[in-house]
Amino acid sequence: MPMRASTDPMAGPPPTGIEAALRRLDTLIDARGGLINLVTRVPMTTGRQRFPVFSAALGDPGSILPGTANARHLMKWADLDGAGSGLAEETARLTATVETIERYSSCMWDPEQFRWATARSLGDEALDLERVPRCSESELAAPACPVLAPDPDAPMRWVRGVDLATGEPRWVPAVMVYLHIPVASRGERFWLPISTGTAAHFDYDSALLGAVLECVERDGIALTWLQRLALPRIEIDVSDPELDQALEVSARSGLRTYFFDATTDLGVPTVYSVDVDPQATQVRTYVMCATELDPRRAVLKVMRESSSGRVAMQYQKPHDKPLDEYINVFDGAVHMAVAEREHEFDFLLNSPHRRRLSEIAPTVPDSPAGRLAWVVGRLKGAGCSVYAVDITSDEAHAAGLRVVRVIVPELVPLSFSYRARYLGTPRLYTAPERMGLPAHAEPGLNPWPQPFA
């Protein structure tokens, strides 16, 4: 892979451990005026919480930062608060802090960095709109559909990125890069901004790798639910000290957790989990997914993130709004979590297929740069393009963090909008067959809203 990404030498070497990383980020945490005003452990609200959960509060930067005030009516700045969980409190604290900085950076844009143009006028210098996910004709025809079909002749804002497979610069639609960016033209209405493919790390290669893996993860989430894939249930046949400890803690929580192999035709290990709390009525069933090159880390991650996700679900109120209004992150998850809909997960829970965890692990390089090249190569081999944009904010840069946004337009996107599930994306119908599973046409897709949050 021609592109070589490395940490800016002016920032010094990356910290070598969790404590060193926390010390590096302490400069951004100050209740009197720091970027992050508070990082605290979330009180246990249910006996089913497995691991410590921390939250990092950002406050309301939209009130003082140029370029964001116009977006405040579209969002709650509290949505940018980060959360993290882990076996140790220090791990949870670090995860929450980095996630908050990542979210903050994804919303900080400057109009001066954009180029107004049509996709047709930019030609091969830009991401090809013919390759982006799209809604089906039936979705576009519905009055409640919030998006339009991509239009190569409609002007929009573009931001400079790079093709990770070739190292060549490319223009990428700004609405696919930044969160909470108000639509400024009809041409930008083809996309609903989402955090997929955003990652932060003290090393560029590691940040890019994390962002690419999240794109693969979200593709697996969408495919699994929309096509109701009867994924193989994972049998954990390997021993690992951290994994063993996490499984033991999880077992003591009283939750029943089922792990499934959601690795798609891309060959990048992906684990999908279904948590069932047999004593709960409002949050009975909750799903999570993680993509990691080491499948043991993926199992750990789904348990960790499910723990913080379940805490967040405790604060969500049940609702009865129509499906046309489902657009927020938790809308579908709240709807599907209740005990009366537990049977809608039977296509997974009753899957007859089994796969050992040891069978999922691929042989990959040791270095972050080598692993990044391996994943990009897998995507390229499957006909996918991979674009990256550096969105590091000044505050993140000062702490040595690098924040990136990666876009893989050919993958099936995760969407929280029920009326814009991008059901016209070709891969939605071709990937299951390459995985050896049945593929349903649009009328046979899962009618229930997305339960992932």
Side-chain angles (χ1 to χ4, degrees):
M1 184 172 63
M3 181 180 180
R4 178 69 182 99
S6 61
T7 301
D8 182 352
M10 297 298 292
T16 55
I18 292 177
E19 291 185 2
L22 286 170
R23 286 195 300 271
R24 183 81 68 87
L25 299 176
D26 273 346
T27 58
L28 301 180
I29 305 172
D30 191 329
R32 298 164 297 179
L35 176 65
I36 298 172
N37 57 50
L38 182 66
V39 182
T40 184
R41 181 165 178 167
V42 179
M44 183 177 290
T45 58
T46 169
R48 304 301 180 185
Q49 182 175 329
R50 289 179 282 210
F51 311 118
V53 177
F54 274 72
S55 175
L58 191 64
D60 184 4
S63 62
I64 60 174
L65 291 175
T68 62
N70 292 337
R72 283 192 294 161
H73 68 286
L74 298 177
M75 64 178 293
K76 298 176 181 178
W77 281 96
D79 292 344
L80 298 185
D81 293 350
S85 181
L87 284 169
E89 288 196 356
E90 293 79 6
T91 303
R93 179 185 294 272
L94 178 61
T95 302
T97 304
V98 172
E99 183 176 272
T100 300
I101 298 169
E102 171 191 310
R103 292 182 176 182
Y104 167 79
S105 296
S106 70
C107 296
M108 295 301 106
W109 44 270
D110 186 335
E112 295 297 322
Q113 74 190 99
F114 299 145
R115 176 178 178 179
W116 275 95
T118 66
R120 196 179 304 281
S121 67
L122 294 176
D124 293 339
E125 295 182 16
L127 180 152
D128 185 358
L129 292 185
E130 290 296 320
R131 303 172 77 93
V132 302
R134 61 189 59 229
C135 287
S136 66
E137 292 299 324
S138 60
E139 285 184 295
L140 293 170
C145 184
V147 301
L148 302 174
D151 184 352
D153 295 310
M156 70 177 76
R157 292 165 294 179
W158 301 79
V159 63
R160 204 61 159 167
V162 64
D163 184 329
L164 286 183
T166 65
E168 297 176 352
R170 288 289 183 269
W171 292 103
V172 180
V175 292
M176 298 185 77
V177 174
Y178 292 97
L179 288 179
H180 306 297
I181 181 171
V183 172
S185 71
R186 182 183 181 278
E188 293 181 341
R189 287 187 57 195
F190 74 94
W191 192 250
L192 295 175
I194 190 171
S195 65
T196 297
T198 310
H201 203 280
F202 291 99
D203 172 71
Y204 255 134
D205 293 323
S206 297
L208 288 166
L209 176 60
V212 176
L213 292 178
E214 186 172 79
C215 292
V216 174
E217 168 201 302
R218 300 298 172 85
D219 174 78
I221 292 170
L223 284 169
T224 296
W225 187 251
L226 291 172
Q227 285 285 0
R228 283 188 279 203
L229 301 180
L231 301 173
R233 186 183 297 182
I234 294 174
E235 298 174 346
I236 298 179
D237 63 335
V238 296
S239 181
D240 173 273
E242 191 175 5
L243 177 59
D244 293 346
Q245 182 184 358
L247 290 170
E248 181 182 350
V249 171
S250 180
R252 292 201 304 265
S253 73
L255 288 170
R256 296 200 300 262
T257 304
Y258 307 89
F259 304 104
F260 300 89
D261 181 14
T263 305
T264 68
D265 56 310
L266 301 175
V268 185
T270 301
V271 173
Y272 191 101
S273 70
V274 179
D275 268 352
V276 179
D277 184 344
Q279 297 183 10
T281 56
Q282 293 301 321
V283 189
R284 172 70 62 88
T285 311
Y286 188 69
V287 305
M288 189 52 62
C289 190
T291 298
E292 294 284 345
L293 296 183
D294 183 342
R296 294 173 301 178
R297 304 278 78 77
V299 173
L300 276 166
K301 189 174 181 181
V302 294
M303 285 192 287
R304 186 178 72 242
E305 295 194 348
S306 178
S307 186
S308 59
R310 276 189 168 273
V311 170
M313 287 286 287
Q314 302 300 321
Y315 296 95
Q316 304 300 317
K317 296 180 179 180
H319 55 70
D320 57 0
K321 59 185 178 182
L323 289 174
D324 283 359
E325 297 179 14
Y326 278 37
I327 196 167
N328 295 322
V329 173
F330 284 99
D331 284 344
V334 170
H335 188 83
M336 299 306 301
V338 296
E340 63 197 74
R341 297 192 179 92
E342 181 181 358
H343 65 281
E344 297 301 336
F345 298 85
D346 285 349
F347 71 92
L348 282 166
L349 298 177
N350 294 338
S351 171
H353 310 296
R354 298 292 183 270
R355 185 160 295 149
R356 292 190 294 270
L357 187 64
S358 60
E359 297 175 341
I360 303 173
T363 301
V364 297
D366 293 329
S367 69
R371 293 181 173 215
L372 174 62
W374 185 87
V375 177
V376 171
R378 297 289 306 187
L379 287 163
K380 183 179 179 181
C384 298
S385 47
V386 187
Y387 303 98
V389 180
D390 187 326
I391 59 171
T392 308
S393 61
D394 291 342
E395 294 86 350
H397 188 277
L401 275 177
R402 296 296 173 266
V403 188
V404 299
R405 181 61 179 262
V406 166
I407 298 166
V408 186
E410 295 82 3
L411 297 184
V412 183
L414 170 68
S415 176
F416 300 113
S417 172
Y418 187 80
R419 293 305 178 194
R421 295 188 291 169
Y422 299 94
L423 303 184
T425 304
R427 177 173 165 77
L428 176 58
Y429 307 98
T430 59
E433 294 180 348
R434 291 195 292 270
M435 297 167 64
L437 296 169
H440 303 285
E442 183 176 346
L445 294 177
N446 197 334
W448 293 99
Q450 174 59 246
F452 175 89

